[in-house]
Amino acid sequence: METKVEKLKESRIKTVTIVSGEEKKKAEDRALLSLAKRVRIKGFREGMAPADLVRQQVKPEQIAEETVRAILPEVMADALKISSAKPIIRPAASIVSLDPLTISLTFVERPKAL
């Protein structure tokens, strides 16, 4: 993962993380396992369908969403470590790009007293 940090106004810190292809693949594999537990495919017990069949049965948008959910905790931990941010609320997350997977996080820190 490659993370860039930008200090913004009003006690905000923005990080942009580009996820490597290998890390994205691992997250996508976890996402397909998670989706397999929720998708019913004829001939397979619930949660036991192979990833290739799950990929065929599920919309690409669902796979992308689940992949981001799978990797977001790692991206957030990396961003917090690199930026040294001490957020007071959950960060705002957005997907900048799917290829390469790029995720932006905006942290809000406690304002400094004057």
PDB file of all heavy atoms in Angstrom, residues 62-80:
ATOM      1  N   GLN A  62     -21.118  -5.547  -6.540  1.00  0.00           N
ATOM      2  CA  GLN A  62     -21.184  -6.166  -5.219  1.00  0.00           C
ATOM      3  C   GLN A  62     -19.814  -6.686  -4.803  1.00  0.00           C
ATOM      4  O   GLN A  62     -19.427  -6.568  -3.640  1.00  0.00           O
ATOM      5  CB  GLN A  62     -22.190  -7.316  -5.207  1.00  0.00           C
ATOM      6  CG  GLN A  62     -23.634  -6.866  -5.263  1.00  0.00           C
ATOM      7  CD  GLN A  62     -24.570  -8.059  -5.342  1.00  0.00           C
ATOM      8  OE1 GLN A  62     -24.529  -8.812  -6.321  1.00  0.00           O
ATOM      9  NE2 GLN A  62     -25.377  -8.228  -4.321  1.00  0.00           N
ATOM     10  N   ILE A  63     -19.096  -7.263  -5.750  1.00  0.00           N
ATOM     11  CA  ILE A  63     -17.755  -7.773  -5.445  1.00  0.00           C
ATOM     12  C   ILE A  63     -16.831  -6.609  -5.082  1.00  0.00           C
ATOM     13  O   ILE A  63     -16.075  -6.687  -4.112  1.00  0.00           O
ATOM     14  CB  ILE A  63     -17.180  -8.577  -6.631  1.00  0.00           C
ATOM     15  CG1 ILE A  63     -18.028  -9.833  -6.867  1.00  0.00           C
ATOM     16  CG2 ILE A  63     -15.725  -8.953  -6.381  1.00  0.00           C
ATOM     17  CD1 ILE A  63     -17.684 -10.592  -8.124  1.00  0.00           C
ATOM     18  N   ALA A  64     -16.911  -5.521  -5.834  1.00  0.00           N
ATOM     19  CA  ALA A  64     -16.068  -4.355  -5.554  1.00  0.00           C
ATOM     20  C   ALA A  64     -16.394  -3.776  -4.179  1.00  0.00           C
ATOM     21  O   ALA A  64     -15.483  -3.454  -3.396  1.00  0.00           O
ATOM     22  CB  ALA A  64     -16.266  -3.288  -6.631  1.00  0.00           C
ATOM     23  N   GLU A  65     -17.672  -3.669  -3.855  1.00  0.00           N
ATOM     24  CA  GLU A  65     -18.086  -3.131  -2.555  1.00  0.00           C
ATOM     25  C   GLU A  65     -17.592  -4.013  -1.408  1.00  0.00           C
ATOM     26  O   GLU A  65     -17.055  -3.526  -0.415  1.00  0.00           O
ATOM     27  CB  GLU A  65     -19.610  -3.019  -2.502  1.00  0.00           C
ATOM     28  CG  GLU A  65     -20.137  -2.411  -1.225  1.00  0.00           C
ATOM     29  CD  GLU A  65     -21.647  -2.281  -1.225  1.00  0.00           C
ATOM     30  OE1 GLU A  65     -22.245  -2.153  -2.317  1.00  0.00           O
ATOM     31  OE2 GLU A  65     -22.231  -2.325  -0.129  1.00  0.00           O
ATOM     32  N   GLU A  66     -17.745  -5.298  -1.564  1.00  0.00           N
ATOM     33  CA  GLU A  66     -17.308  -6.230  -0.526  1.00  0.00           C
ATOM     34  C   GLU A  66     -15.777  -6.251  -0.411  1.00  0.00           C
ATOM     35  O   GLU A  66     -15.239  -6.394   0.682  1.00  0.00           O
ATOM     36  CB  GLU A  66     -17.844  -7.630  -0.827  1.00  0.00           C
ATOM     37  CG  GLU A  66     -17.846  -8.557   0.351  1.00  0.00           C
ATOM     38  CD  GLU A  66     -18.752  -8.117   1.494  1.00  0.00           C
ATOM     39  OE1 GLU A  66     -19.824  -7.549   1.256  1.00  0.00           O
ATOM     40  OE2 GLU A  66     -18.354  -8.354   2.657  1.00  0.00           O
ATOM     41  N   THR A  67     -15.081  -6.079  -1.534  1.00  0.00           N
ATOM     42  CA  THR A  67     -13.616  -6.009  -1.517  1.00  0.00           C
ATOM     43  C   THR A  67     -13.155  -4.795  -0.723  1.00  0.00           C
ATOM     44  O   THR A  67     -12.232  -4.890   0.102  1.00  0.00           O
ATOM     45  CB  THR A  67     -13.056  -5.952  -2.955  1.00  0.00           C
ATOM     46  OG1 THR A  67     -13.458  -7.134  -3.654  1.00  0.00           O
ATOM     47  CG2 THR A  67     -11.543  -5.845  -2.966  1.00  0.00           C
ATOM     48  N   VAL A  68     -13.796  -3.661  -0.935  1.00  0.00           N
ATOM     49  CA  VAL A  68     -13.440  -2.448  -0.194  1.00  0.00           C
ATOM     50  C   VAL A  68     -13.721  -2.650   1.291  1.00  0.00           C
ATOM     51  O   VAL A  68     -12.910  -2.273   2.145  1.00  0.00           O
ATOM     52  CB  VAL A  68     -14.184  -1.213  -0.748  1.00  0.00           C
ATOM     53  CG1 VAL A  68     -14.007  -0.014   0.159  1.00  0.00           C
ATOM     54  CG2 VAL A  68     -13.695  -0.893  -2.156  1.00  0.00           C
ATOM     55  N   ARG A  69     -14.852  -3.264   1.610  1.00  0.00           N
ATOM     56  CA  ARG A  69     -15.160  -3.553   3.022  1.00  0.00           C
ATOM     57  C   ARG A  69     -14.092  -4.441   3.656  1.00  0.00           C
ATOM     58  O   ARG A  69     -13.743  -4.276   4.816  1.00  0.00           O
ATOM     59  CB  ARG A  69     -16.503  -4.259   3.138  1.00  0.00           C
ATOM     60  CG  ARG A  69     -17.651  -3.345   3.222  1.00  0.00           C
ATOM     61  CD  ARG A  69     -18.878  -4.052   3.781  1.00  0.00           C
ATOM     62  NE  ARG A  69     -20.002  -3.167   3.623  1.00  0.00           N
ATOM     63  CZ  ARG A  69     -21.037  -3.392   2.833  1.00  0.00           C
ATOM     64  NH1 ARG A  69     -21.117  -4.524   2.165  1.00  0.00           N
ATOM     65  NH2 ARG A  69     -22.003  -2.530   2.736  1.00  0.00           N
ATOM     66  N   ALA A  70     -13.586  -5.396   2.883  1.00  0.00           N
ATOM     67  CA  ALA A  70     -12.582  -6.334   3.410  1.00  0.00           C
ATOM     68  C   ALA A  70     -11.244  -5.654   3.667  1.00  0.00           C
ATOM     69  O   ALA A  70     -10.556  -5.989   4.627  1.00  0.00           O
ATOM     70  CB  ALA A  70     -12.407  -7.504   2.443  1.00  0.00           C
ATOM     71  N   ILE A  71     -10.879  -4.695   2.833  1.00  0.00           N
ATOM     72  CA  ILE A  71      -9.547  -4.078   2.963  1.00  0.00           C
ATOM     73  C   ILE A  71      -9.555  -2.767   3.743  1.00  0.00           C
ATOM     74  O   ILE A  71      -8.509  -2.300   4.186  1.00  0.00           O
ATOM     75  CB  ILE A  71      -8.895  -3.881   1.571  1.00  0.00           C
ATOM     76  CG1 ILE A  71      -7.387  -3.769   1.749  1.00  0.00           C
ATOM     77  CG2 ILE A  71      -9.468  -2.685   0.845  1.00  0.00           C
ATOM     78  CD1 ILE A  71      -6.601  -4.101   0.544  1.00  0.00           C
ATOM     79  N   LEU A  72     -10.730  -2.194   3.962  1.00  0.00           N
ATOM     80  CA  LEU A  72     -10.815  -0.890   4.629  1.00  0.00           C
ATOM     81  C   LEU A  72     -10.155  -0.860   6.010  1.00  0.00           C
ATOM     82  O   LEU A  72      -9.451   0.112   6.321  1.00  0.00           O
ATOM     83  CB  LEU A  72     -12.262  -0.420   4.706  1.00  0.00           C
ATOM     84  CG  LEU A  72     -12.472   1.048   5.030  1.00  0.00           C
ATOM     85  CD1 LEU A  72     -11.749   1.938   4.038  1.00  0.00           C
ATOM     86  CD2 LEU A  72     -13.951   1.382   5.034  1.00  0.00           C
ATOM     87  N   PRO A  73     -10.311  -1.869   6.861  1.00  0.00           N
ATOM     88  CA  PRO A  73      -9.616  -1.805   8.159  1.00  0.00           C
ATOM     89  C   PRO A  73      -8.092  -1.707   8.024  1.00  0.00           C
ATOM     90  O   PRO A  73      -7.447  -0.963   8.773  1.00  0.00           O
ATOM     91  CB  PRO A  73     -10.021  -3.114   8.854  1.00  0.00           C
ATOM     92  CG  PRO A  73     -11.317  -3.483   8.230  1.00  0.00           C
ATOM     93  CD  PRO A  73     -11.212  -3.020   6.798  1.00  0.00           C
ATOM     94  N   GLU A  74      -7.515  -2.414   7.062  1.00  0.00           N
ATOM     95  CA  GLU A  74      -6.067  -2.347   6.837  1.00  0.00           C
ATOM     96  C   GLU A  74      -5.659  -0.966   6.321  1.00  0.00           C
ATOM     97  O   GLU A  74      -4.643  -0.413   6.746  1.00  0.00           O
ATOM     98  CB  GLU A  74      -5.641  -3.407   5.825  1.00  0.00           C
ATOM     99  CG  GLU A  74      -5.830  -4.826   6.288  1.00  0.00           C
ATOM    100  CD  GLU A  74      -5.624  -5.820   5.161  1.00  0.00           C
ATOM    101  OE1 GLU A  74      -4.700  -5.611   4.348  1.00  0.00           O
ATOM    102  OE2 GLU A  74      -6.388  -6.791   5.098  1.00  0.00           O
ATOM    103  N   VAL A  75      -6.462  -0.421   5.407  1.00  0.00           N
ATOM    104  CA  VAL A  75      -6.176   0.905   4.849  1.00  0.00           C
ATOM    105  C   VAL A  75      -6.250   1.944   5.963  1.00  0.00           C
ATOM    106  O   VAL A  75      -5.382   2.824   6.070  1.00  0.00           O
ATOM    107  CB  VAL A  75      -7.168   1.249   3.710  1.00  0.00           C
ATOM    108  CG1 VAL A  75      -7.065   2.715   3.311  1.00  0.00           C
ATOM    109  CG2 VAL A  75      -6.920   0.351   2.512  1.00  0.00           C
ATOM    110  N   MET A  76      -7.273   1.832   6.827  1.00  0.00           N
ATOM    111  CA  MET A  76      -7.437   2.800   7.902  1.00  0.00           C
ATOM    112  C   MET A  76      -6.280   2.711   8.901  1.00  0.00           C
ATOM    113  O   MET A  76      -5.744   3.736   9.320  1.00  0.00           O
ATOM    114  CB  MET A  76      -8.767   2.579   8.617  1.00  0.00           C
ATOM    115  CG  MET A  76      -9.131   3.733   9.514  1.00  0.00           C
ATOM    116  SD  MET A  76     -10.755   3.585  10.266  1.00  0.00           S
ATOM    117  CE  MET A  76     -11.811   3.336   8.872  1.00  0.00           C
ATOM    118  N   ALA A  77      -5.886   1.510   9.261  1.00  0.00           N
ATOM    119  CA  ALA A  77      -4.767   1.338  10.200  1.00  0.00           C
ATOM    120  C   ALA A  77      -3.484   1.924   9.612  1.00  0.00           C
ATOM    121  O   ALA A  77      -2.730   2.610  10.322  1.00  0.00           O
ATOM    122  CB  ALA A  77      -4.588  -0.131  10.533  1.00  0.00           C
ATOM    123  N   ASP A  78      -3.232   1.671   8.340  1.00  0.00           N
ATOM    124  CA  ASP A  78      -2.041   2.199   7.675  1.00  0.00           C
ATOM    125  C   ASP A  78      -2.086   3.723   7.627  1.00  0.00           C
ATOM    126  O   ASP A  78      -1.089   4.391   7.904  1.00  0.00           O
ATOM    127  CB  ASP A  78      -1.939   1.612   6.264  1.00  0.00           C
ATOM    128  CG  ASP A  78      -0.638   1.970   5.578  1.00  0.00           C
ATOM    129  OD1 ASP A  78       0.427   1.682   6.155  1.00  0.00           O
ATOM    130  OD2 ASP A  78      -0.698   2.528   4.462  1.00  0.00           O
ATOM    131  N   ALA A  79      -3.250   4.285   7.298  1.00  0.00           N
ATOM    132  CA  ALA A  79      -3.394   5.739   7.203  1.00  0.00           C
ATOM    133  C   ALA A  79      -3.191   6.395   8.566  1.00  0.00           C
ATOM    134  O   ALA A  79      -2.541   7.445   8.666  1.00  0.00           O
ATOM    135  CB  ALA A  79      -4.761   6.098   6.640  1.00  0.00           C
ATOM    136  N   LEU A  80      -3.731   5.787   9.620  1.00  0.00           N
ATOM    137  CA  LEU A  80      -3.564   6.348  10.965  1.00  0.00           C
ATOM    138  C   LEU A  80      -2.099   6.309  11.393  1.00  0.00           C
ATOM    139  O   LEU A  80      -1.591   7.255  11.989  1.00  0.00           O
ATOM    140  CB  LEU A  80      -4.423   5.586  11.975  1.00  0.00           C
ATOM    141  CG  LEU A  80      -5.905   5.919  11.969  1.00  0.00           C
ATOM    142  CD1 LEU A  80      -6.680   4.945  12.829  1.00  0.00           C
ATOM    143  CD2 LEU A  80      -6.137   7.352  12.429  1.00  0.00           C
TER     144      LEU A  80
END
